[in-house]
Amino acid sequence: VQAAPRGFAVSVGAFKEKANAIDLTSRLTGKGYPAQMALSKPKKLFRVTVGTFESRKDAAAMAAQIQKKEKLNTAIIDLGKP
């Protein structure tokens, strides 16, 4: 039995085209962000997120940095909720 994920992540994009998600993930990892891509099953979108943070406050700090430096819209995701 695998433990449910915990913490928070910063969502920076969701794409129908896998190539677009790969491009954004590569761009962000190239700049030092811990970006990753995953398939979101219900909507079949490729979601790009940055980091896993213990607190919403830490995730919000990263979200603010990404918005300011990368000019991307962000959202905080609670990894403990489906």
Side-chain angles (χ1 to χ4, degrees):
V1 175
Q2 188 174 5
R6 297 180 59 164
F8 300 88
V10 179
S11 175
V12 293
F15 303 92
K16 287 183 181 179
E17 297 294 326
K18 186 176 184 179
N20 293 336
I22 290 170
D23 287 346
L24 180 57
T25 303
S26 295
R27 194 173 92 209
L28 291 171
T29 55
K31 292 183 176 187
Y33 294 101
Q36 59 245 348
M37 180 190 74
L39 179 61
S40 175
K41 298 237 184 207
K43 296 181 183 173
K44 294 186 179 174
L45 294 174
F46 294 93
R47 181 182 301 226
V48 180
T49 59
V50 174
T52 303
F53 304 91
E54 287 188 23
S55 72
R56 182 176 288 276
K57 182 180 176 183
D58 290 342
M62 176 59 78
Q65 178 181 334
I66 292 169
Q67 287 172 350
K68 184 176 181 181
K69 290 186 176 181
E70 309 304 329
K71 308 292 189 240
L72 293 171
N73 292 324
T74 62
I76 307 297
I77 299 172
D78 184 339
L79 298 174
K81 295 186 178 179

